[in-house]
Amino acid sequence: MRGSVNRAGQFWQRHYVHNVALTGQCTLCIIIGMNELSKYIDASGLTQEQFAEKIGADQSIVSRLYAGKIRPSLQRAFAIERATNGAVPVSSWVSEK
C-alpha cells in the first residue's frame, strides 16, 4: 500500500511541476477554485448569467470559470469572494509555487 501512495504522490508532484512549467499555473488549484464556484452556483439556484451580473462580468466569463477553463484576475477573484459571502475565497484560485 505504501508504494502506491508514494507513486501517487510522485505523479501529482510531477504533474504540478510539469503543468506550472507549461502554463504558469497549477491545474489542480484551478480545479479546486472552479469546483467551489460551480458548487456555489449550483447550490444557490442562480444562473450563470445572474451570477455574472453580481460580479460585474459577462456570462461567458462565468461559464469559463465554472468549467475550469480560466482562472480569474485578482480583482475578479475578490468580486467572487464578496458575491459569495466568502464561500468561494480568493485563496481557492491562488496556486502556491
Side-chain angles (χ1 to χ4, degrees):
M1 179 72 175
R2 183 168 186 192
S4 64
V5 171
N6 285 338
R7 282 193 295 274
Q10 290 170 353
F11 167 79
W12 283 110
Q13 183 178 22
R14 280 194 314 273
H15 169 76
Y16 175 82
V17 170
H18 174 73
N19 194 52
V20 170
L22 289 175
T23 66
Q25 54 193 337
C26 172
T27 300
L28 187 58
C29 295
I30 294 171
I31 291 168
I32 291 168
M34 173 275 302
N35 191 33
E36 288 184 34
L37 179 62
S38 61
K39 282 182 185 178
Y40 176 83
I41 291 173
D42 292 345
S44 71
L46 293 171
T47 65
Q48 289 181 10
E49 187 172 359
Q50 290 168 329
F51 186 76
E53 288 177 20
K54 286 180 74 169
I55 65 167
D58 189 73
Q59 185 274 331
S60 65
I61 298 289
V62 172
S63 176
R64 287 184 277 166
L65 289 166
Y66 185 96
K69 293 182 179 180
I70 62 170
R71 182 172 61 173
S73 65
L74 187 57
Q75 181 179 357
R76 183 151 292 138
F78 275 113
I80 291 168
E81 182 177 73
R82 284 190 301 273
T84 62
N85 294 318
V88 183
V90 171
S91 61
S92 68
W93 302 99
V94 179
S95 63
E96 294 181 21
K97 293 184 181 182

